[in-house]
């Protein structure tokens, strides 16, 4: 099932995906009942979240991320800047709790979050202190609550297309289209591309598909990787990278079953929780029938 997210506001809110919770819990080596006890919930509630049968209230997400030892922005990413409701939820407060902390009724907060009446100036700084943000951040969030567009810019998300990926690396290592073409041709072993071909790839123009058809993807990705000094898979589609990871994990599993010990070079401190969560998430996404736990 797809990720569950709120539809109450036009402003992008934090994205909740139960598969990420499952992966993070496995990485933290917690059973469902253990995580539930930390959050004063039943293990069945945790199971419902992980299966995406239900989602926690937005105010619970900070506590859930903390219990799992994960960064809130990593585990539950938000695709745009926050509005007032988002700031409140990120602080872990319900509307009633926030109002009680300020010694006021819920109505001023409700009106401001709904974009019908701004906060009284006397409430702005105390509310910013409660939410642990600056006054400027709170005022900007209030503007978004009142309808100011907060659609994410292209730089707010990872590059998706081949052109976006090339452009992203060009910001780190400026190269001419001719220099990139030379690296790709060297990897291919024949003069497959010229500067105009790289420009087509870089701009995702209509000719991009024709250019990519002139040489094997492996050669293209290897050449781009050589040009920018990174691994070729940086330029491959995400689904292909995931499939390669799964193939290698299956290979490692076979070696382990044969009694062969495989250790990662330099991994004396083990794999990070974030990396384990990412690997688990990929595995869970590709499982045909995820196993029940607890």
């Amino acid at each position: 099932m797809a990720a569950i997210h709120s539809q109450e506001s036009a402003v992008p809110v934090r994205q909740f995906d139960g598969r990420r919770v499952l992966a993070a819990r496995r990485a933290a080596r917690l059973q469902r009942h253990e995580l539930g006890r930390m959050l004063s919930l039943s293990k069945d509630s945790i199971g419902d979240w992980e299966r995406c049968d239900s989602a926690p209230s937005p105010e619970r997400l900070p506590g859930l991320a903390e219990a799992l030892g994960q960064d809130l922005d990593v585990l539950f990413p938000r695709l745009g800047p926050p509005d007032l409701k988002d700031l409140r939820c990120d602080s872990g407060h319900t509307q009633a709790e926030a109002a009680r902390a300020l010694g006021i009724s819920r109505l001023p907060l409700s009106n401001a979050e709904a974009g019908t009446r701004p906060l009284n100036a006397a409430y702005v700084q105390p509310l910013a202190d409660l939410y642990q943000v600056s006054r400027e951040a709170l005022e900007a969030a209030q503007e978004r609550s009142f309808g100011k567009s907060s659609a994410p810019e292209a730089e707010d998300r990872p590059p998706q297309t081949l052109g976006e990926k090339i452009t992203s690396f060009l910001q780190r290592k400026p190269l001419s289209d001719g220099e990139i073409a030379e690296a790709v041709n060297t990897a291919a072993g024949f003069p497959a591309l010229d500067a105009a071909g790289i420009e087509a790839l870089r701009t995702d123009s209509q000719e991009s598909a024709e250019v990519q058809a002139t040489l094997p993807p492996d050669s293209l990705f290897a050449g781009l990787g050589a040009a920018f000094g990174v691994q070729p898979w940086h330029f491959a589609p995400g689904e292909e990278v995931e499939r390669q990871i799964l193939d290698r994990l299956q290979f490692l599993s076979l070696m382990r079953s044969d009694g062969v010990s495989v250790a990662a070079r330099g991994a004396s401190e083990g794999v990070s929780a974030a990396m384990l969560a990412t690997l688990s998430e990929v595995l869970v996404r590709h499982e045909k029938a995820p196993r029940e736990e607890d």
Side-chain angles (χ1 to χ4, degrees):
M1 182 178 293
I4 296 176
H5 55 91
S6 172
Q7 300 292 337
E8 296 178 0
S9 172
V11 178
V13 296
R14 291 202 178 278
Q15 307 297 294
F16 176 84
D17 190 333
R19 295 170 299 187
R20 285 182 173 271
V21 175
L22 172 59
R25 179 174 62 78
R26 286 178 173 174
R29 298 182 180 179
L30 290 171
Q31 297 295 315
R32 283 179 181 162
H33 72 272
E34 294 174 325
L35 179 58
R37 186 169 59 247
M38 296 169 69
L39 300 173
S40 299
L41 294 168
S42 69
K43 68 176 184 180
D44 292 335
S45 295
I46 304 299
D48 288 342
W49 293 351
E50 293 179 347
R51 291 187 297 270
C52 291
D53 292 338
S54 66
S57 63
E59 299 91 346
R60 280 195 176 274
L61 297 183
L64 178 56
E66 182 179 2
L68 292 170
Q70 297 287 322
D71 183 275
L72 179 63
D73 290 321
V74 173
L75 190 59
F76 306 119
R78 180 166 47 227
L79 303 182
D83 63 4
L84 279 177
K85 179 181 178 181
D86 296 329
L87 286 186
R88 173 175 57 77
C89 293
D90 283 358
S91 72
H93 290 90
T94 65
Q95 201 174 79
E97 290 170 343
R100 189 161 50 247
L102 266 63
I104 61 176
S105 71
R106 291 177 54 184
L107 187 59
L109 293 182
S110 178
N111 286 338
E113 289 183 4
T116 58
R117 186 173 182 178
L119 289 166
N120 185 301
Y123 302 152
V124 173
Q125 189 59 56
L127 197 61
D129 294 340
L130 179 65
Y131 295 168
Q132 297 185 338
V133 298
S134 67
R135 183 188 185 98
E136 292 75 17
L138 189 109
E139 290 174 339
Q142 179 167 233
E143 288 184 11
R144 286 187 284 270
S145 292
F146 278 77
K148 183 178 177 181
S149 174
S150 60
E153 300 292 337
E155 59 267 21
D156 291 333
R157 61 175 174 79
Q160 304 296 315
T161 67
L162 180 59
E164 290 176 354
K165 293 175 181 179
I166 294 174
T167 300
S168 175
F169 279 106
L170 280 171
Q171 295 175 358
R172 311 179 197 178
K173 185 178 180 181
L175 295 172
S176 69
D177 290 339
E179 290 173 324
I180 300 174
E182 182 179 354
V184 172
N185 291 337
T186 299
F190 63 97
L193 298 180
D194 56 12
I198 295 299
E199 181 182 6
L201 296 177
R202 177 170 51 79
T203 59
D204 288 319
S205 70
Q206 293 182 349
E207 293 77 23
S208 178
E210 298 178 7
V211 172
Q212 293 185 57
T214 62
L215 72 169
D218 288 348
S219 296
L220 174 59
F221 300 153
L224 291 172
F228 292 105
V230 298
Q231 292 297 319
W233 52 260
H234 280 284
F235 301 94
E239 296 80 2
E240 181 178 330
V241 174
E242 286 193 2
R243 177 50 55 192
Q244 292 177 3
I245 291 173
L246 288 173
D247 289 344
R248 284 160 176 74
L249 287 175
Q250 291 171 355
F251 173 71
L252 288 175
S253 178
L254 288 174
M255 293 186 69
R256 180 176 295 175
S257 66
D258 290 338
V260 178
S261 175
V262 180
R265 182 179 302 173
S268 59
E269 297 182 0
V271 180
S272 69
M275 181 63 71
L276 283 175
T278 300
L279 290 173
S280 297
E281 180 184 346
V282 171
L283 290 170
V284 170
R285 181 159 56 247
H286 287 269
E287 285 179 352
K288 292 183 178 179
R291 61 186 179 84
E292 288 293 323
E293 299 191 13
D294 294 344

